[in-house]
């Protein structure tokens, strides 16, 4: 199971004061040395944390694959085609949300929106950029993903992490991961994962990658970024 480290909130802290410190590129390098398999950064339309310059700097400096999270818009497509990350993960974006609240509602998209997502997939594929879709763990959504010809999804684990009935949510994630895998879709997962709730997710061997950010960056205040990444890496390796 690969571990992608989301470094958005290094940029959040930097932006609280402006300037250049702390540098997301330095965080990515530390994460790489601590055992991360990839770096994830979300370029939001309002640029509240990661900036366009960060994406260019990450792509230029880091050796690990870059997973660019972005909304399915024309502006973001152009940025992705110029930056050429190894992967683009399409996420829904609402301007007033604090974080990504749910997955893309592929099954409810109108034809125009579906056409545009297909265009992103087509254009990115030309440049060897893989595309994944961030969706809720729901069979209807996966069926729509299959119809679109997408071969990577990331399952939103936020409901599981926040739920009082996490067992029920865990079952939904397991079933979704199994169903997608049986339909030749590679499954990733992320959102809200921490040292405790990651254990049951790591046990789902249909999931090939986890993308984790906020908790690791938060813990790095107490234990250092290298230790926080290593601890997460060890927990995943122990339970997978
Ligand atoms: N995966 C996706 C698609 C996300 O949007 C996010 C949050 O930006 C994450 C994973 C990581 O979530 P968290 O920061 O809660 O670990």
């Amino acid at each position: 199971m690969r571990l992608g480290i989301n470094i958005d909130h290094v940029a959040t802290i930097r932006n609280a004061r402006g300037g250049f410190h702390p540098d997301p590129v330095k965080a990515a390098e530390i994460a790489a040395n601590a055992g991360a398999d990839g770096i994830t950064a979300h370029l939001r339309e309002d640029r509240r944390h990661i900036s366009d310059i960060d994406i260019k700097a990450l792509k230029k400096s880091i050796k690990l694959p870059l997973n660019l999270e972005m909304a399915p818009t024309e502006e973001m497509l152009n940025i992705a085609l110029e930056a050429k990350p190894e992967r683009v993960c399409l996420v829904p974006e609402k301007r007033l949300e604090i974080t990504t609240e749910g997955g893309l509602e592929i099954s409810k998209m109108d034809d125009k929106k579906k056409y545009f997502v297909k265009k992103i997939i087509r254009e990115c594929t030309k440049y060897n950029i893989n595309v994944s879709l961030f969706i809720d763990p729901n069979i209807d959504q996966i069926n729509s993903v299959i119809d679109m010809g997408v071969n990577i999804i990331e399952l939103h684990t936020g409901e599981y992490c926040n739920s009082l009935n996490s067992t029920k949510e865990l079952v939904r994630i397991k079933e979704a991961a199994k169903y997608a895998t049986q339909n030749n879709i590679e499954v990733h997962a992320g959102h809200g994962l921490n040292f405790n709730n990651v254990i049951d997710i790591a046990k789902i061997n249909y999931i090939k990658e986890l993308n984790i950010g906020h908790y690791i960056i938060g813990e790095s205040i107490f234990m250092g970024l290298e230790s926080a990444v290593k601890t997460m890496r060890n927990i995943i390796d122990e339970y997978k």
Side-chain angles (χ1 to χ4, degrees), residues 174-238:
K174 275 186 199 163
E175 285 175 356
K178 183 176 176 188
Y179 184 72
T181 304
Q182 286 169 341
N183 284 282
N184 300 318
I185 295 172
E186 182 173 303
V187 181
H188 305 165
H191 209 283
L193 294 172
N194 61 35
F195 293 152
N196 293 318
N197 62 22
V198 77
I199 292 174
D200 283 327
I201 297 292
K203 290 178 186 165
I204 307 174
N205 57 17
Y206 296 109
I207 298 177
K208 300 300 171 203
E209 176 176 310
L210 297 179
N211 284 302
I212 308 179
H214 185 266
Y215 184 80
I216 287 184
I217 303 305
E219 271 302 294
S220 73
I221 294 169
F222 307 117
M223 64 196 301
L225 181 56
E226 188 178 340
S227 296
V229 173
K230 278 187 177 159
T231 304
M232 188 59 88
R233 170 89 272 165
N234 290 341
I235 295 170
I236 293 168
D237 290 346
E238 186 179 343

Side-chain angles (χ1 to χ4, degrees), residues 6 8 42 69 89 91 99-100 134 154 190-192 211-214:
N6 180 317
D8 292 351
H42 185 172
E69 289 176 6
C89 177
V91 300
T99 183
T100 315
F134 189 48
E154 180 167 328
H191 209 283
N211 284 302
I212 308 179
H214 185 266

Side-chain angles (χ1 to χ4, degrees), residues 11-155:
T12 303
I13 298 170
R14 176 197 60 196
N15 295 357
R17 282 286 173 95
F20 302 100
H21 182 80
D23 180 5
V25 172
K26 184 170 177 186
E29 285 165 357
I30 292 171
N33 290 333
D37 301 295
I39 299 299
T40 293
H42 185 172
L43 185 65
R44 280 188 165 266
E45 288 179 283
D46 62 7
R47 310 302 196 265
R48 68 174 73 159
H49 36 56
I50 292 291
S51 69
D52 301 58
I53 292 171
D54 290 327
I55 296 297
K56 284 189 185 145
L58 285 165
K59 186 62 192 129
K60 194 168 150 216
S61 310
I62 62 169
K63 294 187 185 74
L64 292 180
L66 177 63
N67 176 30
L68 171 62
E69 289 176 6
M70 62 183 218
T73 64
E74 198 75 58
E75 181 202 14
M76 290 296 154
L77 172 60
N78 290 334
I79 290 170
L81 294 180
E82 202 192 320
K84 298 189 183 59
E86 279 67 24
R87 191 192 309 135
V88 152
C89 177
L90 297 181
V91 300
E93 246 178 59
K94 292 187 207 135
R95 193 54 53 86
L96 295 179
E97 69 189 358
I98 292 172
T99 183
T100 315
E101 283 167 355
L104 282 172
E105 297 250 34
I106 309 286
S107 58
K108 291 190 190 146
M109 271 182 189
D110 59 30
D111 285 348
K112 199 171 156 210
K113 282 196 180 133
K114 274 192 184 161
Y115 179 83
F116 190 65
V117 171
K118 282 186 188 164
K119 177 178 163 183
I120 294 179
I121 296 163
R122 208 174 46 242
E123 294 293 312
C124 285
T125 307
K126 277 188 206 160
Y127 292 93
N128 292 324
I129 305 168
N130 292 317
V131 179
S132 82
L133 302 187
F134 189 48
I135 59 167
D136 290 328
N138 169 315
I139 303 296
D140 279 352
Q141 297 298 343
I142 296 171
N143 282 332
S144 303
V145 165
I146 295 168
D147 288 345
M148 283 193 137
V150 174
N151 49 21
I152 312 174
I153 55 170
E154 180 167 328
L155 296 176

